[in-house]
Amino acid sequence: PPPPLPPCATPMCITSAATDGEVVLSSTGNADWVHYGMEATERKRGESRLISDLVTTSNNVHLKTYNNNPTVFTWTDGTPDQNVANTPTGVYTTVDGAGMALNVSIPASAHPIVVRMYVGIYSNSADCVGVLTSALFTADGAKAVSSVDKVDSNGGIKNFVYTIQVMGNDATHGAAAPRRLHLRWVQNGSHGGNIEFTGVAVQAEDVDVATAGPARGVHLHLAALA
């Protein structure tokens, strides 16, 4: 199982850690998960669908697949492939200023909702930077909080997981409860490098997934992110 998380006293807390070896999406994504890079997008079997489709942040960018990820992914509850062990696949882009984005619907719960985003960055110089923009929106559409984090490759390859804790999402918060998390992973600088995206997992305790509704599509030009 994933290691215990540090306490979070704000609506959204973000930490990052290196990943290596095996990630079991069936464990880290008991509410929902998705993996990219195989012949089709792989999802958790069932009707929860908290994670929207992945889109590019520019219309002229096409994601490429790769199969030499040092971090491998396993699951036993997927579709279209129910059981997959140790797949080293993912998607990437090499275009400066472009990247990938998605939304995660946040169900009501008295417990924190934990979203894990598995990404990577590669370059033969330190000039390729990955930028994560996270924005949390409430049930009435207002932005509750946002965050920007940057990481460079230091002339090599880095695989890591961003862990986002979402707090205060129980029914007592009404329209102020967080209900949508927007995640955007973008490359700054190229220099022979790329950013990678391999998957997302949503972990939750005692939730009614139906309270979140289906994941909505990504709006690429959200003024609220500025």
Side-chain angles (χ1 to χ4, degrees), residues 69-143:
N69 195 336
T71 303
V72 296
F73 293 83
T74 293
W75 58 85
T76 56
D77 58 347
T79 183
D81 294 299
Q82 179 173 337
N83 300 295
V84 170
N86 300 326
T87 177
T89 49
V91 296
Y92 72 97
T93 179
T94 61
V95 179
D96 182 16
M100 296 145 267
L102 53 75
N103 288 328
V104 179
S105 292
I106 304 298
S109 174
H111 303 278
I113 303 299
V114 181
V115 179
R116 291 180 172 88
M117 175 178 167
Y118 299 94
V119 295
I121 183 170
Y122 167 78
S123 179
N124 53 17
S125 73
D127 296 325
C128 184
V129 177
V131 181
L132 171 66
T133 302
S134 311
L136 189 62
F137 294 87
T138 60
D140 58 5
K143 184 177 69 172

Side-chain angles (χ1 to χ4, degrees), residues 24-36 41-45 48-51 74-79 81-82 84 118 199-202:
V24 181
L25 291 172
S26 300
S27 296
T28 62
N30 69 323
D32 200 10
W33 60 260
V34 62
H35 174 78
Y36 311 103
T41 298
E42 300 281 347
R43 288 187 170 272
K44 180 180 176 67
R45 188 175 63 252
S48 58
R49 196 63 188 271
L50 298 177
I51 305 166
T74 293
W75 58 85
T76 56
D77 58 347
T79 183
D81 294 299
Q82 179 173 337
V84 170
Y118 299 94
V200 178
V202 182

Side-chain angles (χ1 to χ4, degrees), residues 5-6 13-17 161-165:
L5 296 172
C13 295
I14 302 176
T15 58
S16 62
V161 54
Y162 278 110
T163 300
I164 301 116
Q165 296 183 73

Side-chain angles (χ1 to χ4, degrees), residues 19 55 59 62 64 72 99 184 221:
T19 57
V55 300
N59 291 332
H62 300 284
K64 303 175 183 179
V72 296
R184 187 178 299 194
H221 304 292

